[in-house]
């Protein structure tokens, strides 16, 4: 196996196995067997099992940084809430493993949670709290809304749709064709929820 | 160790270890060592490791059934949304392991997800969707609100507060003294979000 191919294969196998069993549930032997490489290749490319996990985690959460570009492009607070919802749907649709790493790091954090996961989650929350503050200044949102709590409520709505999808498969339709309709419904609930009555 | 004490000890140890490592990440030897019992005691009380996991899971999700009593007691839709929020805060506050089992079963389901977890989650969602439908009939909530999606949005808001708490520890105060204030804010965002404008 070529070096770049070996690196790619280990990342693929690491993503799948770590997402199912967590950092401590996967052995270096299991990883090398599943990737069809030797154990020494993990050391060569990533230093250790922890090094591979760190790289996988970095790749999973890399998309969170896109919030900055979106915020630069979209100035209106309501349009930004919509962009955030669409972007979050896209993040989960494009990456079926994200939710597993996200929930497992939040409920059973590894040593990589504080340096890698917490900062990018916080950046998104702080950015969206800023958007809501801007909406309050523009009198689009109510003055008594707490920007950070409202940003968390918004994140909760949209992330829970994906988190609960296995439990609700008989209750609602989860096909991506419905995403736009759902985004519109969440946008409506949220903007009315924080909006100024009668406007 | 007495039989009832041994049963209790195995349930305690099982709850802690399974919540950290999942069903497949814990061995029967590890469980018996941590509980200070013999392996045969696990077979005696629970049949197998899977039997112990099943009992732990049943105990964790037992509180979900309380929704029926609450619904019988509280008839007004807005008051019921508030009761649901308070109850969900209480469920997480009283049980620090619940969120781990909840997220791990939803993202990496075991064979016990379909018989034990899915039905109780669905009961809560269906009950709350019924409450929202009732609110629409009473003209308290908008006609264009989808009851099931709104019930999921509500569940998402409140569950995400607990799910994200480790990431947001520097952004907001998570002490239980703030729970009432938070419930009031979520209730306001949600009821305005699905409410009839100008009422």
């Amino acid at each position: 196996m070529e070096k770049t191919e070996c690196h790619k294969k280990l990342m693929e196998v690491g993503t799948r196995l770590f997402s199912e069993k967590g950092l401590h549930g996967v052995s270096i032997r299991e990883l090398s067997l599943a990737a069809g490489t030797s154990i020494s290749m993990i050391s060569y490319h990533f230093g250790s099992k922890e090094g591979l996990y760190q790289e996988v985690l970095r790749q999973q959460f890399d998309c969170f940084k896109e919030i900055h570009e979106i915020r630069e492009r979209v100035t209106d607070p309501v349009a930004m809430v919509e962009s955030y919802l669409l972007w979050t749907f896209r993040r989960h649709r494009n990456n079926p493993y994200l939710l597993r790493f996200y929930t497992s790091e939040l409920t059973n954090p590894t040593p990589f949670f504080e340096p890698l996961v917490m900062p990018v989650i916080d950046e998104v929350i702080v950015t969206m709290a800023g958007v809501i503050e801007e909406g309050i200044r523009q009198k689009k949102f109510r003055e008594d809304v707490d920007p950070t709590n409202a940003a968390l409520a918004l994140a909760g709505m949209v992330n829970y749709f994906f988190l609960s999808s296995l439990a609700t498969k008989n209750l609602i339709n989860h096909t991506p064709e419905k995403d736009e309709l759902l985004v519109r419904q969440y946008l409506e609930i949220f903007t009315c929820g924080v909006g100024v009555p009668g406007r």
Side-chain angles (χ1 to χ4, degrees), chain A residues 3-189:
Chain A
K3 275 182 186 171
T4 50
E5 205 195 321
C6 179
H7 185 280
K8 201 180 143 205
K9 189 78 195 157
L10 280 167
M11 285 293 287
E12 270 173 31
V13 159
T15 303
R16 185 168 53 77
L17 291 178
F18 287 134
S19 82
E20 285 167 7
K21 304 175 176 194
L23 170 58
H24 306 298
V26 187
S27 69
I28 196 155
R29 191 177 143 71
E30 198 177 353
L31 287 161
S32 63
L33 270 174
T37 69
S38 65
I39 288 179
S40 64
M41 276 298 109
I42 298 181
S43 314
Y44 175 80
H45 285 289
F46 304 98
S48 59
K49 182 179 86 167
E50 283 70 23
L52 173 56
Y53 183 79
Q54 185 175 15
E55 274 315 295
V56 166
L57 212 58
R58 212 192 294 276
Q59 194 182 57
Q60 291 289 316
F61 286 91
D62 207 40
C63 59
F64 279 58
K65 295 177 184 156
E66 295 162 8
I67 189 79
H68 299 299
E69 300 158 39
I70 303 173
R71 183 68 185 115
E72 271 178 35
R73 213 174 55 234
V74 185
T75 49
D76 177 68
V78 175
M80 183 61 200
V81 171
E82 186 178 11
S83 297
Y84 164 81
L85 289 168
L86 285 166
W87 171 64
T88 303
F89 265 82
R90 213 165 50 232
R91 270 184 295 160
H92 289 296
R93 289 291 184 205
N94 290 345
N95 188 349
Y97 297 106
L98 177 60
L99 207 58
R100 288 183 182 167
F101 286 103
Y102 190 80
T103 55
S104 124
E105 282 288 339
L106 279 168
T107 56
N108 278 313
T110 68
F112 305 106
F113 175 73
E114 292 235 359
L116 279 181
V117 180
M118 187 169 152
V120 293
I121 293 183
D122 282 8
E123 266 171 43
V124 174
I125 299 294
V126 168
T127 301
M128 291 313 295
V131 168
I132 293 160
E133 246 185 291
E134 180 66 25
I136 296 172
R137 261 197 301 276
Q138 295 181 14
K139 314 258 186 233
K140 281 174 181 158
F141 301 148
R142 286 197 311 280
E143 263 189 3
D144 63 346
V145 166
D146 179 287
T148 306
N149 287 334
L152 285 174
L154 179 68
M157 275 185 199
V158 61
N159 284 306
Y160 190 75
F161 171 76
F162 289 95
L163 179 59
S164 66
S165 62
L166 208 59
T168 57
K169 63 184 176 192
N170 302 327
L171 300 180
I172 49 165
N173 185 334
H174 291 92
T175 57
E177 292 79 51
K178 294 274 172 187
D179 286 0
E180 250 183 80
L181 180 70
L182 269 169
V183 164
R184 228 180 309 141
Q185 290 181 355
Y186 287 145
L187 182 67
E188 188 85 1
I189 291 180

